[in-house]
Amino acid sequence: MSTTTPTSVAETGRAGTGTAPATPGAADRSASEIADLARSVTGSASLDDTAWRRYLHGLPGVDKVGADGRAAALSTRSIKTTSKAWALDTIIRMVDLTTLEGADTPGKVRALAAKAVRPEPADPTCPSAAAVCVYNDLVPVAVEALAGTGVKVAAVSTAFPSGRASRAVRLADTRDAVEAGADEIDMVIDRGAFLSGRYSQVYEDIVAVREECRANGRHAHLKVILETGELATYDNVRRASWLAMLAGADFIKTSTGKISPAATLPVTIVMLEAVRDFRALTGVPIGVKPAGGIRTSKDAIKYLVAVNETAGADWLDPDWFRFGASSLLNDVLMQRNKLATGTYWGPDYVTVD
Amino acid sequence: MTTTASTAGSPFEYAPAPESRSVVDIASSYGLFVDGEFTPASDSGSFKTVNPATEEVLAEVAEATEEDVDRAVRAARRAQEKVWGPMPGRERAKYLFRIARLLAERSREFAVLETLDNGKPIRESRDVDVPTAAAHFFYYAGWADKLEHAGYGPDPRPHGVAAQVIPWNFPLLMLAWKIAPALATGNTVVLKPAETTPLTALLFADLLRQAELPPGVVNIVTGARATGSALVNHPDVDKIAFTGSTAVGKRIAKEIAGTRKHATLELGGKAANIVFDDAPVDQAIEGIVNGIFFNQGQVCCAGSRLLVQETIAEELVERLKARLGTLRVGDPMDKNTDVGAINSPQQLARITELADAGTAEGATRWSPDCELPSSGYWFAPTLFTGVSAAHRIAREEIFGPVLSVLTFRTPAEAVAKANNIPYGLSAGIWTEKGSRILWMADQLRAGVVWSNTFNRFDPTSPFGGYKESGYGREGGRHGLAPYLIEGSTY
């Protein structure tokens, strides 16, 4: 039950007050603080594969039937009127508006950036999206288009989506994006290493990428993509979540969007339980980002319900919860207008990106 | 350490999401359903049924006299001998399938009425009670033409007239558990619903007319204890099926002793929900919550005794408290309500008395902050820690949203504590170790043992008790046995 035995960890980490997480959370922990925390939590000085296996496999298991049942039960919540209005605006504020295609161009990224800043140009009360998420080479375009708007630039790096490149290449990829001004780096873990039990390699990868995010006085937030569709079991999702959090992730993210299944509600709930327990143990809040496959307001609201009733209200904030999505925003805008005017827009009233 | 997931103070307030009651027409008064017709009681007597969440009177319901019961039993006998008994199984099956389909089609109506009359959350009546009731009819419809292959001899026969008395906690579901196997096996039925929850049974009578079930095959007599007693003691009843309290069950067993009547009794429980330190903790928390707060804990198989391995007891209770902070207590008709109203003032008094006894005997009482409505019958979800096996709250069935937490150190101790109770209806085991699940299930003297889940009901699975939890099984192939006389023509 090492996940929740406070012991000395509470003192080495931040104070676990249970109040709102302090922004920017894990970002300003030093590399040595992170390593100390990992050693203290795992109870091992070496942090080798054996130590990680002993720790990660000692986490409480996840019963799949029960986890799926819990997700199904939360899905029956009926969110109407004022609570729906609040939820829709909150979803917009949490969206990482994403384009990750080989055919992406500067023009497309600029269009997406404009939409992220003002999703509904006719309505000044409509909030901006959280970020625009692009491939590395388009970071400069996004940075220029979003300068001064408060909308962040997120870059998928580390040989996204497979991550199948040498560590040097993946780090160079990250450096590229950070130097081009990306505020947030969405890295992928080496699923092959994870599935073959080379946990220390995954840990060291994340630590190294995190160092790149903070090189030269920069402070890019690090989102660690677990690619839960390839990890296959909820037990693996829980283990990968803890490994990433202990390696210094600011966010844990479900998926690249390139693998099916991408984000699912039960997987996201398992990750929300992990961040909840991690904060209880260490005092450090970590964000969660489901990505891929969330296309409708109705689905996104289920995720907000799950956040509210699993991790708690502290996570109902774009600093701690994001949606990686492309088509979701349009559906939210249409629902938002329906709620305000009673009339449902056709798709011609929202922009095709 | 804080594991606060409480939704109190969240910016995400769920707006009221009430289910509409316009889907159901409640008449101002209801008669008895005898021989396919609704008729008043012979002495025109009646009683009121109220919505326990608001204390609003929903309807006046006829109170059947001994004479009415006799008329119902005679109608059932006639129908059994002339129509239902001689009818081939494949024809009986058609009626049962039709009933199942109509229940599914009219599910919203039944769910709303069940919630209004019983006080349970609409989420449960909609997602559990009504669909499971329909599933029971579907399941037993499939048996009706296969009885000679069920393992009860080549030519099993029905008893004849079944007298069925059901409780108020799952009014429609218990009706389905009783009526579906009785009809599949060729018996006819006189059923008495509980006096606080007669309405879905009466709506079901309306459904039977829609299904064109021959008159007299199912008769529904409403009333209180005297009506039930008249039914059970009627000389022309062949078989009794009772679900309810152990006290009434014992009385029935005494009353029918020395008669030719067969009986199945599904009575009280005080189930142990056993959590080992290698359990899937998050799912165990859900299972504990579902085990004791499902239907406000008014469940005979409720997991009312939580046995936790000492190594994780403190942490588990903390997590449980955080989870209880997210339970939504209130208007049962709101689609987001998790815990509804207690069914009656009598039951509320019983729960209150036992909970007070828990405090008086020295256990530590805890409830989450929750505002209870000002009218209606309510009891906040309650957790007792520091409970000793000798406390009343660890021995007696509370039948309410009250959980007693006890601890154990070894699997053998868990088994000993779980079995150390006069009841034996159900038990739960939470561990990731499969071999231990099998060993435990073998040791526990409980009719149903759930592993890594709780309060799951399926028509294919037999349900019933050991010891003072009663005898006989309902559900599955086993559920046919009490309604059949084993055939002997070879």
Side-chain angles (χ1 to χ4, degrees):
Chain A
M1 300 310 299
S2 40
T3 55
T4 43
T5 314
T7 65
S8 63
V9 175
E11 286 92 66
T12 54
R14 300 265 204 73
T17 56
T19 55
T23 323
D28 50 7
R29 289 185 294 154
S30 72
S32 65
E33 276 179 315
I34 286 172
D36 285 347
L37 182 62
R39 287 195 194 92
S40 155
V41 169
T42 60
S44 163
S46 60
L47 295 181
D48 56 11
D49 287 342
T50 308
W52 279 115
R53 187 171 62 245
R54 200 181 297 129
Y55 177 71
L56 297 175
H57 290 245
L59 292 168
V62 185
D63 183 80
K64 185 175 187 299
V65 174
D68 290 343
R70 173 68 173 150
L74 286 174
S75 296
T76 67
R77 291 289 191 224
S78 179
I79 305 301
K80 303 288 184 205
T81 61
T82 50
S83 47
K84 186 171 182 182
W86 184 89
L88 292 175
D89 278 10
T90 304
I91 292 164
I92 296 173
R93 291 169 57 228
M94 289 173 166
V95 165
D96 284 4
L97 202 55
T98 303
T99 184
L100 296 171
E101 292 163 19
D104 284 345
T105 58
K108 167 138 195 217
V109 171
R110 281 190 207 101
L112 213 60
K115 181 160 182 171
V117 176
R118 288 201 300 162
E120 177 36 50
D123 179 359
T125 67
C126 180
S128 300
V132 168
C133 183
V134 294
Y135 269 119
N136 260 358
D137 60 322
L138 290 163
V139 169
V141 180
V143 167
E144 191 190 342
L146 293 169
T149 64
V151 177
K152 306 277 196 250
V153 176
V156 293
S157 93
T158 68
F160 180 95
S162 72
R164 295 253 68 87
S166 71
R167 186 181 286 170
V169 169
R170 283 179 283 146
L171 292 179
D173 198 20
T174 308
R175 196 173 313 132
D176 232 22
V178 175
E179 284 177 0
D183 303 295
E184 303 173 352
I185 296 295
D186 290 24
M187 71 167 286
V188 292
I189 64 164
D190 183 342
R191 283 86 76 190
F194 183 90
L195 291 170
S196 59
R198 285 175 280 131
Y199 299 124
S200 60
Q201 186 181 330
V202 178
Y203 171 81
E204 284 156 17
D205 280 348
I206 298 170
V207 168
V209 173
R210 188 174 178 280
E211 286 306 298
E212 285 297 343
C213 290
R214 301 158 57 85
N216 303 320
R218 294 189 187 269
H219 246 119
H221 271 226
L222 179 62
K223 306 199 197 93
V224 176
I225 302 171
L226 309 179
E227 196 64 302
T228 53
E230 290 186 341
L231 300 184
T233 68
Y234 296 162
D235 286 327
N236 276 345
V237 171
R238 173 166 286 175
R239 289 168 191 152
S241 297
W242 278 85
L243 185 59
M245 293 189 294
L246 287 168
D250 297 304
F251 259 77
I252 49 177
K253 175 175 169 183
T254 60
S255 322
T256 61
K258 305 292 185 191
I259 293 286
S260 184
T264 67
L265 193 55
V267 155
T268 306
I269 289 172
V270 170
M271 291 166 66
L272 286 165
E273 289 162 354
V275 298
R276 175 198 66 196
D277 292 348
F278 190 78
R279 188 181 69 171
L281 180 65
T282 68
V284 180
I286 308 286
V288 176
K289 177 178 171 184
I294 306 166
R295 296 191 181 84
T296 64
S297 307
K298 199 174 173 184
D299 278 347
I301 288 172
K302 291 176 186 174
Y303 282 79
L304 283 193
V305 166
V307 171
N308 193 35
E309 299 195 34
T310 306
D314 291 346
W315 268 268
L316 288 169
D317 184 296
D319 281 344
W320 306 114
F321 196 78
R322 295 277 184 87
F323 292 101
S326 44
S327 58
L328 170 64
L329 184 56
N330 274 352
D331 188 67
V332 175
L333 292 175
M334 289 195 283
Q335 289 294 334
R336 194 174 179 276
N337 184 68
K338 166 79 165 46
L339 207 57
T341 67
T343 317
Y344 190 72
W345 273 341
D348 287 350
Y349 291 78
V350 289
T351 51
V352 174
D353 307 306
Chain B
M1 184 187 79
T2 47
T3 40
T4 44
S6 169
T7 46
S10 168
F12 194 12
E13 289 284 347
Y14 304 162
E19 177 62 78
S20 164
R21 64 183 281 181
S22 66
V23 65
V24 61
D25 280 322
I26 305 178
S28 57
S29 68
Y30 287 90
L32 311 167
F33 184 69
V34 176
D35 213 8
E37 300 291 335
F38 281 102
T39 57
S42 63
D43 64 356
S44 305
S46 69
F47 60 98
K48 292 179 172 59
T49 183
V50 303
N51 178 344
T54 61
E55 301 177 51
E56 167 204 4
V57 174
L58 294 170
E60 291 263 349
V61 179
E63 182 156 14
T65 61
E66 220 173 303
E67 190 184 328
D68 296 317
V69 169
D70 179 58
R71 199 158 57 85
V73 172
R74 278 190 285 115
R77 175 64 64 194
R78 217 162 35 238
Q80 208 281 328
E81 286 176 352
K82 294 210 156 41
V83 185
W84 199 248
M87 189 184 285
R90 63 178 180 279
E91 295 302 317
R92 291 200 305 271
K94 287 179 189 172
Y95 285 103
L96 288 168
F97 278 122
R98 196 181 291 166
I99 292 167
R101 275 197 305 275
L102 286 170
L103 260 182
E105 277 169 23
R106 298 176 66 177
S107 58
R108 217 165 133 227
E109 205 179 335
F110 276 95
V112 166
L113 189 59
E114 194 76 311
T115 286
L116 288 173
D117 205 18
N118 170 279
K120 66 174 66 202
I122 186 74
R123 185 168 68 82
E124 289 179 9
S125 50
R126 178 194 68 198
D127 297 346
V128 181
D129 294 61
V130 178
T132 314
H136 256 82
F137 280 100
F138 274 119
Y139 176 77
Y140 280 108
W143 271 120
D145 63 348
K146 303 173 189 70
L147 297 174
E148 61 272 36
H149 309 291
Y152 302 111
D155 185 25
R157 306 287 177 84
H159 285 286
V161 174
Q164 306 182 322
V165 178
I166 59 172
W168 44 261
N169 57 346
F170 296 94
L172 182 71
L173 184 57
M174 289 303 105
L175 173 149
W177 279 30
K178 294 281 181 285
I179 292 183
L183 295 193
T185 46
N187 296 276
T188 55
V189 165
V190 180
L191 176 129
K192 188 195 88 68
E195 65 268 34
T196 59
T197 56
L199 293 185
T200 45
L202 294 165
L203 185 64
F204 182 78
D206 177 64
L207 180 147
L208 293 179
R209 294 215 290 196
Q210 193 185 353
E212 294 176 3
L213 188 75
V217 174
V218 171
N219 305 276
I220 293 171
V221 291
T222 43
R225 185 171 167 169
T227 307
S229 184
L231 178 57
V232 166
N233 290 307
H234 192 288
D236 201 32
V237 157
D238 301 299
K239 144 87 195 156
I240 289 158
F242 172 77
T243 297
S245 72
T246 293
V248 175
K250 284 180 179 175
R251 204 180 68 223
I252 290 174
K254 280 180 191 145
E255 283 171 355
I256 64 170
T259 74
R260 65 193 168 83
K261 294 174 189 175
H262 294 246
T264 43
L265 304 174
E266 200 269 87
L267 310 175
K270 187 75 184 174
N273 204 356
I274 305 164
V275 182
F276 286 93
D277 62 4
D278 63 352
V281 170
D282 289 294
Q283 288 71 47
I285 293 286
E286 292 309 313
I288 295 164
V289 169
N290 188 44
I292 188 62
F293 301 114
F294 174 64
N295 201 21
Q296 298 71 245
Q298 302 168 133
V299 183
C300 44
C301 54
S304 50
R305 285 185 298 151
L306 177 63
L307 294 179
V308 195
Q309 196 155 14
E310 264 186 37
T311 43
I312 57 161
E314 208 174 310
E315 176 206 327
L316 190 96
V317 168
E318 281 308 307
R319 285 171 177 266
L320 189 56
K321 286 179 176 175
R323 175 67 178 88
L324 297 193
T326 70
L327 282 178
R328 305 175 65 85
V329 185
D331 179 9
M333 287 290 276
D334 191 300
K335 292 177 216 165
N336 293 326
T337 291
D338 298 317
V339 179
I342 301 301
N343 181 250
S344 66
Q346 295 77 18
Q347 187 56 29
L348 181 60
R350 161 101 183 139
I351 298 167
T352 307
E353 189 224 319
L354 274 165
D356 290 348
T359 312
E361 287 177 331
T364 308
R365 180 175 183 164
W366 182 91
S367 287
D369 284 333
C370 59
E371 212 173 301
L372 300 178
S374 52
S375 63
Y377 320 125
W378 301 91
F379 199 89
T382 299
L383 192 69
F384 276 102
T385 50
V387 179
S388 138
H391 288 161
R392 281 182 74 196
I393 53 170
R395 309 292 306 166
E396 296 181 30
E397 183 177 41
I398 299 174
F399 223 66
V402 181
L403 180 65
S404 302
V405 184
L406 299 99
T407 60
F408 67 91
R409 293 160 297 179
T410 64
E413 186 183 354
V415 167
K417 284 187 164 169
N419 285 340
N420 179 21
I421 200 95
Y423 297 110
L425 194 52
S426 68
I429 307 166
W430 295 84
T431 169
E432 292 255 292
K433 197 186 273 281
S435 57
R436 187 187 292 146
I437 292 172
L438 296 175
W439 181 83
M440 292 283 295
D442 201 39
Q443 304 292 312
L444 290 168
R445 294 179 55 75
V448 181
V449 178
W450 284 292
S451 65
N452 293 332
T453 189
F454 209 95
N455 271 348
R456 301 291 293 184
F457 307 102
D458 191 288
T460 64
S461 176
F463 184 95
Y466 279 60
K467 302 189 268 185
E468 290 203 12
S469 292
Y471 41 75
R473 293 293 178 266
E474 295 181 297
R477 186 186 65 85
H478 307 70
L480 295 167
Y483 290 98
L484 290 171
I485 298 167
E486 203 155 318
S488 55
T489 14
Y490 287 92

